[in-house]
């Protein structure tokens, strides 16, 4: 398996282009299942999770052509309603085919995704929503089987705002008979992006981006051309890198509107953040000030930035309290950061991070995407060399991360085995 070797201590500066958003691209590529004909998507990031999505779709009989970051998807040949274990175990977001398959083929059989390193990650709310739309749900032999001759609009209340749950039910409801109202829906920009694509296809969705989404079912949808929004978590990772290294980084093709909570916290650390349309400049402070952070659903501080921000706090001046409220096991990076000299104490879902003057390079690894990204960031400021193992996780969600950091002046390389 590849490793990434980082030589710490270099101040990063320059421009970095932000790729398309993984978590917007996944549901949008999958939404093609709702149409006959060729959908064309631009700015699709080149990631392992996107490859997994293509495999998932081609298993269902869908034709896919890729040219760089443009992906064409033709679901005219959709002839299979089963997403097998071997595909789903590679990417839990595969559960997103459940809603569209029931809407299009009246049935679906999808392997249960199970938990992952960051938590148990149940899908009960996806299933409850689909049942409310009139589907029968059976779970047997590790698979969920859902079926409905006709989906019927319904009022659905999510007792927890779930991102992929909202997306799954939205994709089922667009072809349902009647009106569906989703309450306590997730409000992430990726939901707005998916709703935008579905409306472009001819759906009638109102309220995406708020906690109440109203979907008037339509008879059929047509294919579209669309461009994937910028990845706010990739953007955030580079913003933290600028603050961390006392650098000066300009993000190009980003969407600053999606980064409000992080911008606010970075400014409190002393970083200077300047916005100019779709570009955003971050200048790191001379002394990083400690700031407390609590993860929240959007528009709060994203759980997907918690590990990276913790690295910044680990060399800040003072003590920071970081609370993780979304996933029950999202402090995987802490033990590795401690091996690099960080002073962090965990109590339940709270980490107390006492800033230390410097970290020291070490061989490290993590079993989660964002935790792995945080270890690269730690390597950028650590004394000496850091070897990040299990790069597999990084490749799921960051396009050419070592090339982008090299372009900013980092001394970082990938070594294949
Ligand atoms: N939850 C339930 N029941 C459900 C669904 C969710 O209890 O049926 C709970 C979860 O256990 C969690 C909370 O609801 O405590 C929120 O989870 P959510 O469903 O919103 O997470 P997700 O849709 O599985 C997406 C992203 C994650 C991101 C979270 C939170 C995608 C493909 N994944 O996951 O991204 O962390 O929302 O913002 O959109 C990543 O990119 O590294 C990543 C993990």
């Amino acid at each position: 398996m590849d490793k990434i070797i980082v030589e710490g201590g270099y101040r990063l500066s320059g421009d970095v282009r932000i790729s398309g958003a993984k978590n917007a691209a996944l549901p949008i590529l999958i939404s093609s299942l709702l149409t006959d004909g060729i959908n064309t998507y631009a700015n699709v990031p080149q990631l392992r999770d996107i490859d997994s999505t293509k495999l998932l779709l081609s298993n269902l009989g869908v034709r896919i052509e890729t040219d760089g970051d443009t992906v064409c998807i033709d679901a005219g040949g959709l002839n299979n309603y089963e997403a097998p274990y071997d595909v789903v175990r590679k990417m839990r977001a595969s559960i997103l085919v459940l809603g569209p398959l029931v809407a299009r083929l009246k049935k679906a059989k999808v392997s249960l995704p199970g938990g992952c390193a960051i938590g148990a990650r149940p899908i009960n709310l996806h299933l409850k929503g689909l049942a409310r739309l009139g589907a029968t749900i059976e779970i047997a032999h590790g698979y969920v089987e859902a079926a409905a001759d006709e989906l019927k609009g319904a009022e659905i209340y999510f007792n927890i705002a779930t991102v992929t749950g909202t997306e799954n039910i939205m994709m089922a409801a667009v072809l349902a008979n009647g009106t569906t109202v989703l309450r306590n829906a997730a409000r992430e920009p990726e939901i707005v992006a998916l709703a935008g694509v579905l409306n472009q296809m001819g759906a009638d969705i109102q309220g995406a981006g708020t906690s109440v989404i109203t979907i008037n079912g339509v008879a059929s949808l047509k294919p579209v051309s669309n461009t994937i929004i910028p990845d706010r978590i990739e953007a955030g990772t580079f913003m933290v890198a600028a603050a961390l290294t006392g650098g000066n980084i300009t993000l190009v093709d980003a969407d600053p509107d999606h980064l409000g909570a992080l911008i606010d916290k970075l400014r409190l650390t002393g970083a200077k953040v300047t916005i100019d349309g779709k570009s955003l400049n971050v200048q790191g402070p001379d002394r990083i000030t400690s700031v407390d952070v609590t993860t929240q659903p959007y528009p709060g501080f994203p759980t997907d930035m918690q590990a990276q921000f913790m690295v910044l706090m680990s060399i800040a001046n003072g003590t920071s309290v970081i609370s993780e409220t979304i996933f029950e096991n999202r402090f995987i990076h802490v033990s590795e950061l401690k091996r690099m000299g960080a002073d962090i104490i965990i109590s339940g879902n709270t980490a107390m991070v006492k800033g230390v003057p410097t970290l020291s390079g070490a061989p490290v690894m993590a079993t989660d995407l964002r935790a792995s990204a945080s270890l690269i960031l730690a390597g950028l400021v650590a004394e000496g060399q850091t070897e990040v193992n299990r790069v597999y996780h990084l490749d799921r969600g960051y396009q050419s991360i070592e090339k982008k950091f090299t372009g900013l002046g980092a001394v970082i390389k990938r070594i294949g085995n």
Side-chain angles (χ1 to χ4, degrees), residues 187-312:
R187 293 179 285 165
E188 271 66 5
E190 293 76 21
I191 308 270
V192 178
L194 173 64
V197 168
L198 293 170
N199 279 343
Q200 206 187 337
M201 288 173 171
D204 179 358
I205 304 174
Q206 286 145 37
T210 75
S211 58
V212 181
I213 301 180
T214 304
I215 305 155
N216 295 308
V218 297
S220 65
L221 298 174
K222 58 179 192 314
V224 294
S225 293
N226 194 276
T227 301
I228 304 298
I229 60 170
D231 195 309
R232 63 195 167 97
I233 306 301
E234 189 201 24
T237 303
F238 285 106
M239 289 163 71
V240 169
L244 197 59
T245 64
N248 185 343
I249 296 180
T250 300
L251 312 184
V252 181
D253 292 343
D255 193 336
D257 287 350
H258 298 163
L259 289 158
L262 177 64
I263 291 171
D264 180 53
K265 291 294 176 187
L266 279 178
R267 284 183 173 148
L268 291 172
T269 70
K272 192 171 164 214
V273 182
T274 318
I275 297 165
D276 180 10
K278 295 286 169 202
S279 77
L280 191 151
N281 175 269
V282 182
Q283 287 177 42
D286 294 335
R287 263 162 71 109
I288 302 160
T289 303
S290 286
V291 184
D292 295 344
V293 163
T294 299
T295 62
Q296 295 289 348
Y298 190 85
F301 191 94
T303 173
D304 290 345
M305 281 303 302
Q306 179 257 109
Q308 302 91 315
F309 201 82
M310 191 182 290
V311 175
L312 183 62

Side-chain angles (χ1 to χ4, degrees), residues 40-353:
T40 305
Y41 303 108
N43 202 32
V44 178
Q46 294 171 34
L47 302 171
R48 203 180 279 259
D49 272 8
I50 296 296
D51 294 340
S52 300
T53 305
K54 290 179 190 166
L55 179 68
L56 171 74
L57 292 174
S58 51
N59 258 300
L60 299 171
V62 171
R63 270 192 40 231
I64 300 167
E65 277 177 30
T66 303
D67 179 9
D69 65 4
T70 300
V71 178
C72 298
I73 303 187
D74 180 356
L78 176 64
N79 58 9
N80 181 9
Y81 58 87
E82 183 170 338
Y85 174 71
D86 256 2
V87 178
V88 177
R89 74 184 169 85
K90 293 196 175 89
M91 187 187 67
R92 3 181 23 274
S94 304
I95 191 67
L96 283 168
V97 300
L98 192 65
L101 284 178
V102 177
R104 249 335 262 300
L105 296 180
K106 303 186 191 303
K107 56 184 170 182
K109 182 175 176 187
V110 180
S111 173
L112 287 165
C116 75
I118 62 175
R121 307 193 72 178
I123 56 156
N124 58 310
L125 301 174
H126 301 229
L127 302 184
K128 179 184 151 196
L130 210 50
R132 291 280 303 151
L133 294 177
T136 57
I137 309 278
E138 278 178 34
I139 292 179
H141 309 294
Y143 279 77
V144 51
E145 288 190 53
D149 283 338
E150 184 190 56
L151 290 172
K152 291 198 181 76
E155 288 259 342
I156 297 169
Y157 174 75
F158 293 110
N159 60 321
I160 301 175
T162 156
V163 176
T164 49
T166 302
E167 292 165 350
N168 221 343
I169 301 310
M170 211 158 72
M171 288 193 281
V174 283
L175 291 178
N177 186 6
T179 299
T180 298
V181 181
L182 306 182
R183 297 195 189 276
N184 196 26
R187 293 179 285 165
E188 271 66 5
E190 293 76 21
I191 308 270
V192 178
L194 173 64
V197 168
L198 293 170
N199 279 343
Q200 206 187 337
M201 288 173 171
D204 179 358
I205 304 174
Q206 286 145 37
T210 75
S211 58
V212 181
I213 301 180
T214 304
I215 305 155
N216 295 308
V218 297
S220 65
L221 298 174
K222 58 179 192 314
V224 294
S225 293
N226 194 276
T227 301
I228 304 298
I229 60 170
D231 195 309
R232 63 195 167 97
I233 306 301
E234 189 201 24
T237 303
F238 285 106
M239 289 163 71
V240 169
L244 197 59
T245 64
N248 185 343
I249 296 180
T250 300
L251 312 184
V252 181
D253 292 343
D255 193 336
D257 287 350
H258 298 163
L259 289 158
L262 177 64
I263 291 171
D264 180 53
K265 291 294 176 187
L266 279 178
R267 284 183 173 148
L268 291 172
T269 70
K272 192 171 164 214
V273 182
T274 318
I275 297 165
D276 180 10
K278 295 286 169 202
S279 77
L280 191 151
N281 175 269
V282 182
Q283 287 177 42
D286 294 335
R287 263 162 71 109
I288 302 160
T289 303
S290 286
V291 184
D292 295 344
V293 163
T294 299
T295 62
Q296 295 289 348
Y298 190 85
F301 191 94
T303 173
D304 290 345
M305 281 303 302
Q306 179 257 109
Q308 302 91 315
F309 201 82
M310 191 182 290
V311 175
L312 183 62
M313 293 300 94
S314 72
I315 58 158
N317 193 36
T319 298
S320 152
V321 176
I322 299 185
S323 303
E324 169 60 50
T325 72
I326 309 293
F327 291 113
E328 63 272 25
N329 193 27
R330 217 170 193 184
F331 285 144
I332 304 159
H333 43 287
V334 170
S335 51
E336 296 299 272
L337 292 177
K338 284 169 83 164
R339 292 184 51 248
M340 296 178 73
D343 183 349
I344 305 171
I345 296 170
I346 298 180
S347 171
N349 73 340
T350 297
M352 203 170 74
V353 188

